Amino acid sequence: MRKFFLFIAIILITFSVSAEVIISKEDMSLQMEKVTETLTTIMPENISALTVSPSAHIGKFFPAFPPHFEIGTSFSGTAIDTSFAKTSSDTFIKMILDKTKDVGLNFEINDNLILPTCAVNARIGGLFLPFDIGVFGVTIIPDTIEKLDFDDFSSTINYLTFGGDIRYALYEGNIILPKISLGAGYFYAQQELGFSVTKATSGKYIDPLGVEQSGLINIDGNANILIKTHTFFAQLQISKKIFFITPFVGARAYYTFFENECDWNYKTQITISDSTPIVISENGEKFTTERKDFQHEFIQPQLYVGAGLNILLLQIGLNVSWNPVSNYWSGGISATLKI
């Protein structure tokens, strides 16, 4: 999970640049919007891998002996191309360094990364009818994670996700034929990300006449993102226990509603000799992006496959999922006490 925080902390601010191109307020807000919308797209891919149970149906809770339920933890990761973050960070840093020279802000990010997350899971079999219900969730307790520092940059993180699903066994399987279930579910995810950059260094200020003057440059910048997503999904899964292995395959369709809030600002102060400091600042913008209405073109498909390894009461599950529209690949692993 800490790697997840590390990635999120640097995803907006990554490159070392010197400003030569004037960046407008609209440019910055547009790039920040793109980062937010991309993260909004990635989150359901990542979180859905946490919900996978190898068995298409775990059995009834009652009447059954023993009653069927499972509890455990799961981890998932989604492979992403970070080019969207590089473009946005470059824009932000160029804006901050406008009218300065020989000043650098340093941070690097790999071209491709795995975005991980984790959750606690539980699932219980149905009463009389062949269905089961699963729930999962994870959160950060406020003030338990300190601010993360990365050279000139730092970040604060708050994260919450929870959800559940219900699956009905269309066929409970037998010695030869597999189990088949049809399910539906929902999960909510919220990420609150705060980014800041603070640096004091010597450099040059380019005045309105184009004259370069040396002095002390103090930089302060902030960008904040609040992402709230509501994802609904339907799925079909087939599984078959063969000795101590349970291979499975499934298909899922999901739709995400979201409401995101963004704001940013910066201030650059230049002190030349004993003169009054020159302040270059931008209050930035506060804006929201949202999708509150259903639009069928935003329905996302997923195909997933995997297997469970059954060792006495312990089941280790592995799954891989693919979105043929976005081409996102995700993987998950779970460790479950299964009865």
Side-chain angles (χ1 to χ4, degrees):
M1 179 62 77
R2 186 173 178 86
K3 291 181 179 178
F4 166 72
F5 300 147
L6 172 63
F7 168 75
I8 290 297
I10 66 177
I11 200 166
L12 185 65
I13 310 171
T14 47
F15 271 119
S16 173
V17 297
S18 294
E20 295 179 355
V21 178
I22 296 176
I23 305 297
S24 70
K25 178 186 294 188
E26 291 75 18
D27 292 332
M28 178 57 205
S29 293
L30 177 60
Q31 291 300 325
M32 193 170 179
E33 180 179 342
K34 288 181 179 179
V35 168
T36 306
E37 291 185 351
T38 302
L39 291 174
T40 301
T41 302
I42 294 170
M43 286 170 61
E45 296 287 334
N46 202 347
I47 295 172
S48 63
L50 297 172
T51 70
V52 176
S53 175
S55 299
H57 173 242
I58 67 171
K60 299 185 185 72
F61 186 81
F62 181 86
F65 185 81
H68 294 292
F69 66 92
E70 58 186 37
I71 185 169
T73 59
S74 57
F75 302 83
S76 68
T78 300
I80 63 170
D81 177 350
T82 62
S83 58
F84 73 96
K86 294 176 180 179
T87 301
S88 299
S89 60
D90 185 50
T91 300
F92 189 39
I93 295 175
K94 283 182 178 179
M95 172 169 277
I96 292 175
L97 299 184
D98 185 29
K99 297 182 176 62
T100 67
K101 188 176 180 181
D102 299 335
V103 179
L105 298 176
N106 302 299
F107 234 130
E108 296 182 356
I109 189 171
N110 294 333
D111 293 337
N112 296 281
L113 287 175
I114 302 296
L115 178 65
T117 189
C118 67
V120 176
N121 304 69
R123 187 172 294 274
I124 187 170
L127 302 176
F128 301 104
L129 296 177
F131 69 91
D132 59 38
I133 297 175
V135 294
F136 75 96
V138 64
T139 186
I140 297 173
I141 300 173
D143 301 324
T144 58
I145 294 182
E146 297 180 356
K147 182 181 292 186
L148 305 178
D149 295 314
F150 311 95
D151 294 333
D152 302 320
F153 307 94
S154 63
S155 70
T156 56
I157 309 292
N158 277 305
Y159 180 78
L160 166 70
T161 184
F162 61 84
D165 70 328
I166 182 169
R167 306 184 302 179
Y168 190 87
L170 301 178
Y171 187 71
E172 295 184 70
N174 56 33
I175 296 177
I176 299 175
L177 297 177
K179 296 180 180 181
I180 304 174
S181 68
L182 183 66
Y186 160 83
F187 54 83
Y188 172 79
Q190 176 177 308
Q191 293 181 3
E192 186 175 0
L193 316 172
F195 308 89
S196 63
V197 51
T198 301
K199 186 170 186 177
T201 184
S202 58
K204 294 181 180 179
Y205 166 64
I206 305 173
D207 68 20
L209 299 178
V211 178
E212 296 182 4
Q213 303 181 64
S214 298
L216 178 64
I217 299 176
N218 288 277
I219 298 170
D220 289 287
N222 292 278
N224 301 286
I225 296 173
L226 176 60
I227 300 174
K228 299 178 181 179
T229 63
H230 301 267
T231 300
F232 297 84
F233 64 90
Q235 65 184 20
L236 177 70
Q237 183 173 331
I238 302 172
S239 70
K240 175 61 181 174
K241 185 176 181 181
I242 305 172
F243 298 111
F244 55 87
I245 298 177
T246 305
F248 63 90
V249 63
R252 180 185 293 116
Y254 72 83
Y255 190 88
T256 299
F257 300 91
F258 61 83
E259 183 177 0
N260 303 325
E261 301 174 10
C262 307
D263 68 83
W264 61 271
N265 64 81
Y266 76 90
K267 179 175 72 173
T268 303
Q269 180 173 289
I270 301 100
T271 304
I272 300 172
S273 300
D274 297 326
S275 62
T276 302
I278 301 167
V279 177
I280 305 171
S281 65
E282 177 58 76
N283 291 328
E285 288 187 324
K286 294 183 179 180
F287 60 93
T288 62
T289 63
E290 61 184 23
R291 183 194 298 149
K292 293 187 175 181
D293 300 323
F294 178 78
Q295 302 173 53
H296 65 85
E297 63 267 28
F298 292 115
I299 296 175
Q300 295 294 310
Q302 270 189 341
L303 302 175
Y304 61 94
V305 64
L309 175 62
N310 307 293
I311 307 172
L312 298 178
L313 299 181
L314 177 66
Q315 184 179 69
I316 305 297
L318 298 171
N319 71 84
V320 176
S321 60
W322 174 56
N323 183 326
V325 173
S326 65
N327 199 34
Y328 282 129
W329 287 87
S330 302
I333 182 171
S334 61
T336 304
L337 173 65
K338 181 179 174 65
I339 297 177

